Amino acid sequence: MSEHKQIIYDTLRRVAEEEGVQLGPISDSSALIDTLGFRSLHIARILAILEIEFSYDPFASGDVPITGLRTVGDLCAAYER
């Protein structure tokens, strides 16, 4: 697993624990909302943490449309560009 992916997975677990989201197994195909149970506010928090962690916001430049963010794999791909 790449370092970026590990940081993203760890962030998902941390936010889930802090917010009381019962998180099952995580894979790239896991849907952030439908499968993992995150809500839009959780996603916003995850993105804010990752922006600080990576010093980069892939959605601000318009290169990656935030509307295409559905799965863990989508999230990983956005930060690995």
Side-chain angles (χ1 to χ4, degrees), residues 14-61:
R14 184 176 110 199
V15 170
E17 182 179 330
E18 291 172 357
E19 297 293 334
V21 175
Q22 296 298 318
L23 201 61
I26 301 174
S27 70
D28 284 357
S29 63
S30 300
L32 293 165
I33 294 173
D34 295 334
T35 304
L36 298 179
F38 288 114
R39 295 189 175 165
S40 57
L41 189 55
H42 300 138
I43 304 294
R45 183 165 176 227
I46 290 164
L47 295 179
I49 291 168
L50 292 175
E51 182 179 351
I52 292 167
E53 192 71 38
F54 296 127
S55 299
Y56 172 65
D57 180 0
F59 307 103
S61 65

Side-chain angles (χ1 to χ4, degrees), residues 6 11 16 29 78:
Q6 186 64 53
T11 301
S29 63

Side-chain angles (χ1 to χ4, degrees), residues 4-5 8-9 28 69 71-81:
H4 274 79
K5 186 181 275 193
I8 291 167
Y9 274 52
D28 284 357
L69 186 63
T71 67
V72 174
D74 295 338
L75 185 59
C76 291
Y79 284 96
E80 289 179 352
R81 291 182 184 202

